[in-house]
Amino acid sequence: MMIADPIAGGMLLLAAGALAVSLAWRSRYWLAGRPEPVPILKGLFRAPRRYLVHVHEAVTRDPLPGVERDTGGGAARMHMLAAGGFVAASLMILIVHVLEVRRPAALILLFAALATMAAGTALVFRRRLARPLPARLSRGSFDRLPWALTAFIGFFTIASLPAAGVITPLDWSSPGGIILLVLGGWACLVLYAGVGARAMRHATNGLLHLAFHPRPGRFDGGTDTAAKPLDLEEDRLGVARPTDFRWNQLLSFDACVQCGRCEAACPAFAAGLPLNPKKLIQDLAAAERPGAGDGDYAGNGHPGRSAGAARGGPGEPVIGSMVHPDTLWACTTCLACVYECPMMIEHVDAVLDLRRHQTLELGATPGKAAGVLEELQATDTVSGRALKARLDWGVDLRLPVLEEGGNCEVLLWIGEGGFELRSQGTLRALVKLLRRAQVDFAVLGEAELDCGHLARRLGDEAVFQDLARRNIAALQKRRFECIVTADPHALHTLRNEYPDLGGRFAVEHHTTLLARLVREGRLQPGKSAGISVTYHDPCYLGRYNREFDAPRELLAAVADDVREMPRSGPRSLCCGWGGGASYTDVPGKRRIPDVRMDQIRDTGAHTVAVACPNCAVMLEGVVPPRPRVADVAELLADAVGEGE
């Protein structure tokens, strides 16, 4: 057996050194963020499972309907072969060429790893050289990747053949040897240094991000979608500069692989509003560096805004320098970007952190949103109406009001829908259904304040916490088994965000309760023949709270023809109301509800069923002709003979 070539081992050691230096150079930027305690050893121990289970599930998920597939096989197969082969080949090069283990088994494993890497590289070539390239993929340095992989495979294959006795030792001073050295050195620099600090840095930072994730609850079987509370006693409220983010948030921005799945899922981007979540994360990652800019970005920008003009740095304000204010306020907080992201990045958390500073410190809330916050402060309602007017729609229904010390089975949370004419029809249908099923229910009456959901999404944590604490105090003075609401935004806030302030209550969506009443035989609907229905999943009921089945169970009980939209379930497209987007008035090429209505029309259904008062308002605002918009409760009331 020939002696392993020391040049190959030296090349690997130099590449490893480049990796260490580049990783250390890059890490100093995200370590400049605010401190955040994390279980280091436990996180590192759990990272492989999080990668193999959660990342793999996201990567292997079917492409979004209407979005072009990646060319060159599945992304999961491509990454497994290319990245897995690269890691295995690096390990075997270390064993064969540095540790000089020259046994046949080691050489066989080395060539097998290089072959695996070559198979993955072929898929990378097919993906990157596709014409047209999927629009959501970034170009730039990513286009050099297949060539670097090829040079790496070629260099270490040829350099390893003498160790296998296939060829004589190489003359590195010959023209061919020099060319091979140059190609090998370039490949190692691109791959190893790139993994540490350049385009491929998601490989290391992604693994560290999984270990020290800002929301570890995502990996423990829960949804973990509640907005994190803000300490109102802090010197700086929210995030103004990149270094105001927690250090593991800055790390998460560096984990972005620029795959564009968030871009393809984003309703704002689809409607031409100035928000591309992929570009936003890249802006935040770039802002970590002194003298930052977006000149190196080679993907789709924010619609209507050209890339290359952004400038910033760790000590510079994010909004206004790296990110335009309209980009921040175009977000509907629908969580589609977070659901699709294979690197588990929390885009919405970053948006809320930035909004908090804009609202609480600068008073820079745009559009009608500033007036809404003023009304909430003055009247405890979004509409500015008197609290006693919340029940005006139900005067003839003689709604029972739960007083302090009283008790009932179900406490019906009315929400802001009580002031909205369209939503009052849903509430009337729901009340009639509860009475038909002989449910012991009551309402809070004037004691019910706005839940604070909108204030929190608009960045006003102070108003949210004030409303939440007063609502919690009122609820704790009454006894009930469960709170039921027809508003998924209120559901999410009461169920998931009040516990941080001491308010722990059982909270259900009205479709969950109604489905149970149907199963128990307390409501017995009849099916309507000849009516086709499609269902629009509300973001805060579906993606945020994972309730997909109850509304569909009810629709199956009342209609023979129920049709699914391609964008449904956890991939439903937002109606455009969430995150206060209907109040911030950021202009785009289209309205988000118009985009969604096109998808509804494509089903050919006569009726679109909704399970959120805000979805009903947004979709009914679309110019006819369009399908009828009806809440699931209204359809059920018709089916049991309680419709109006």
Side-chain angles (χ1 to χ4, degrees):
M1 183 73 68
M2 304 290 293
I3 296 176
D5 197 318
I7 293 293
M11 185 74 76
L12 179 71
L13 292 177
L14 288 174
L19 168 61
V21 170
S22 60
L23 181 59
W25 174 78
R26 185 72 197 183
S27 66
R28 64 193 178 116
Y29 296 135
W30 40 263
L31 288 174
R34 291 168 54 198
E36 174 76 0
V38 296
I40 295 178
L41 293 179
K42 183 185 291 186
L44 291 172
F45 177 76
R46 293 181 175 180
R49 182 182 182 277
R50 292 173 177 177
Y51 174 81
L52 293 172
V53 175
H54 299 277
V55 172
H56 184 73
E57 188 278 329
V59 171
T60 57
R61 206 176 283 153
D62 290 337
L64 274 165
V67 175
E68 66 272 54
R69 290 177 176 269
D70 292 338
T71 305
R77 183 166 66 253
M78 180 188 70
H79 282 91
M80 179 179 66
L81 293 172
F86 175 65
V87 172
S90 299
L91 176 62
M92 294 314 302
I93 292 166
L94 173 67
I95 292 172
V96 171
H97 292 287
V98 178
L99 301 180
E100 295 190 352
V101 177
R102 299 181 293 275
R103 295 171 183 168
L107 290 164
I108 290 172
L109 289 175
L110 170 57
F111 288 117
L114 290 169
T116 300
M117 189 176 170
T121 301
L123 295 179
V124 177
F125 262 114
R126 290 187 59 195
R127 186 188 204 196
R128 281 285 147 189
L129 298 182
R131 294 295 181 268
L133 186 74
R136 62 182 177 82
L137 296 177
S138 293
R139 306 207 64 152
S141 57
F142 287 94
D143 286 344
R144 294 193 291 272
L145 177 60
W147 302 104
L149 290 169
T150 301
F152 178 93
I153 295 166
F155 174 81
F156 282 106
T157 297
I158 295 173
S160 301
L161 289 176
V166 176
I167 62 174
T168 59
L170 300 170
D171 180 5
W172 294 106
S173 63
S174 66
I178 293 173
I179 292 173
L180 192 61
L181 274 174
V182 171
L183 289 175
W186 173 76
C188 287
L189 183 64
V190 169
L191 296 177
Y192 285 92
V195 163
R198 301 297 294 171
M200 298 302 293
R201 64 182 183 267
H202 65 273
T204 49
N205 290 356
L207 188 63
L208 293 174
H209 165 55
L210 292 174
F212 311 132
H213 199 280
R215 287 184 177 270
R218 286 189 66 179
F219 307 103
D220 298 331
T223 54
D224 194 14
T225 54
K228 294 183 179 295
L230 178 67
D231 183 357
L232 295 173
E233 300 300 320
E234 291 183 353
D235 292 336
R236 177 179 284 115
L237 299 177
V239 168
R241 306 168 304 184
T243 51
D244 292 334
F245 283 111
R246 290 166 288 147
W247 72 268
N248 52 351
Q249 284 182 288
L250 294 176
L251 169 61
S252 76
F253 306 149
D254 256 358
C256 177
V257 68
Q258 298 192 47
C259 65
R261 294 186 182 214
C262 59
E263 171 186 310
C266 179
F269 184 82
L273 275 69
L275 168 62
N276 179 344
K278 180 180 77 172
K279 177 64 163 58
L280 174 63
I281 295 300
Q282 287 300 303
D283 288 341
L284 297 177
E288 299 173 19
R289 307 189 312 269
D294 64 345
D296 293 336
Y297 178 73
N300 288 328
H302 302 298
R305 303 198 180 280
S306 58
R311 295 290 183 271
E316 300 294 324
V318 174
I319 303 302
S321 58
M322 285 299 297
V323 178
H324 191 280
D326 284 353
T327 294
L328 178 67
W329 297 104
C331 178
T332 67
T333 69
C334 72
L335 215 68
C337 52
V338 176
Y339 177 76
E340 295 294 340
C341 179
M343 300 308 293
M344 308 288 151
I345 298 171
E346 298 288 341
H347 310 62
V348 174
D349 284 352
V351 167
L352 291 185
D353 284 339
L354 290 164
R355 285 184 176 186
R356 284 168 169 174
H357 184 77
Q358 294 295 301
T359 295
L360 294 172
E361 294 274 8
L362 305 180
T365 317
K368 298 189 292 291
V372 166
L373 294 177
E374 291 176 1
E375 293 289 4
L376 278 169
Q377 287 180 302
T379 67
D380 299 325
T381 69
V382 170
S383 63
R385 303 275 299 280
L387 292 172
K388 63 181 179 180
R390 193 188 299 275
L391 301 181
D392 285 355
W393 55 271
V395 170
D396 60 317
L397 296 176
R398 297 181 175 82
L399 300 174
V401 176
L402 188 64
E403 303 293 346
E404 290 186 12
N407 66 85
C408 65
E409 177 187 355
V410 169
L411 178 63
L412 182 59
W413 187 273
I414 302 300
E416 290 299 306
F419 302 112
E420 170 62 50
L421 182 62
R422 174 61 188 85
S423 303
Q424 290 167 3
T426 298
L427 292 170
R428 290 182 65 86
L430 178 56
V431 167
K432 291 181 178 181
L433 289 168
L434 294 178
R435 286 199 165 134
R436 178 76 168 253
Q438 298 182 349
V439 175
D440 175 25
F441 78 96
V443 297
L444 278 179
E446 292 186 49
E448 180 188 324
L449 314 177
D450 180 85
C451 69
H453 173 90
L454 183 60
R456 178 168 252 191
R457 269 67 201 172
L458 290 173
D460 200 332
E461 183 75 3
V463 168
F464 165 76
Q465 291 191 18
D466 174 62
L467 289 168
R469 286 193 170 94
R470 286 190 284 148
N471 275 325
I472 290 169
L475 291 168
Q476 289 175 338
K477 293 175 182 177
R478 294 156 173 85
R479 298 189 302 277
F480 46 86
E481 294 180 14
C482 181
I483 299 173
V484 171
T485 179
D487 184 351
H489 300 265
L491 167 82
H492 177 72
T493 302
L494 296 171
R495 175 193 283 176
N496 301 319
E497 300 186 345
Y498 275 24
D500 285 328
L501 300 176
R504 289 177 169 79
F505 312 103
V507 188
E508 279 190 332
H509 190 248
H510 73 302
T511 58
T512 307
L513 173 61
L514 293 175
R516 186 166 63 251
L517 295 175
V518 171
R519 286 195 301 271
E520 293 172 354
R522 296 167 67 179
L523 291 174
Q524 298 179 347
K527 287 193 176 184
S528 300
I531 297 178
S532 56
V533 180
T534 190
Y535 174 60
H536 164 77
D537 289 272
C539 303
Y540 275 84
L541 182 61
R543 272 187 296 272
Y544 274 86
N545 285 279
R546 313 304 293 174
E547 178 58 87
F548 304 109
D549 296 335
R552 289 173 170 80
E553 185 178 338
L554 290 170
L555 292 177
V558 303
D560 286 321
D561 186 1
V562 181
R563 307 176 184 182
E564 284 284 0
M565 283 183 274
R567 290 284 300 265
S568 63
R571 292 177 138 178
S572 176
L573 190 78
C574 180
C575 73
W577 187 92
S582 61
Y583 297 99
T584 54
D585 296 329
V586 176
K589 293 181 180 178
R590 302 185 67 191
R591 296 171 65 249
I592 293 175
D594 292 334
V595 176
R596 184 55 166 168
M597 187 57 75
D598 283 348
Q599 298 171 353
I600 294 169
R601 290 189 184 103
D602 287 343
T603 68
H606 301 115
T607 300
V608 53
V610 297
C612 172
N614 304 306
C615 292
V617 170
M618 297 300 288
L619 294 177
E620 281 201 342
V622 175
V623 176
R626 54 164 174 75
R628 171 197 176 201
V629 179
D631 190 277
V632 175
E634 294 174 308
L635 296 175
L636 181 60
D638 289 341
V640 299
E642 292 288 353
E644 295 187 350

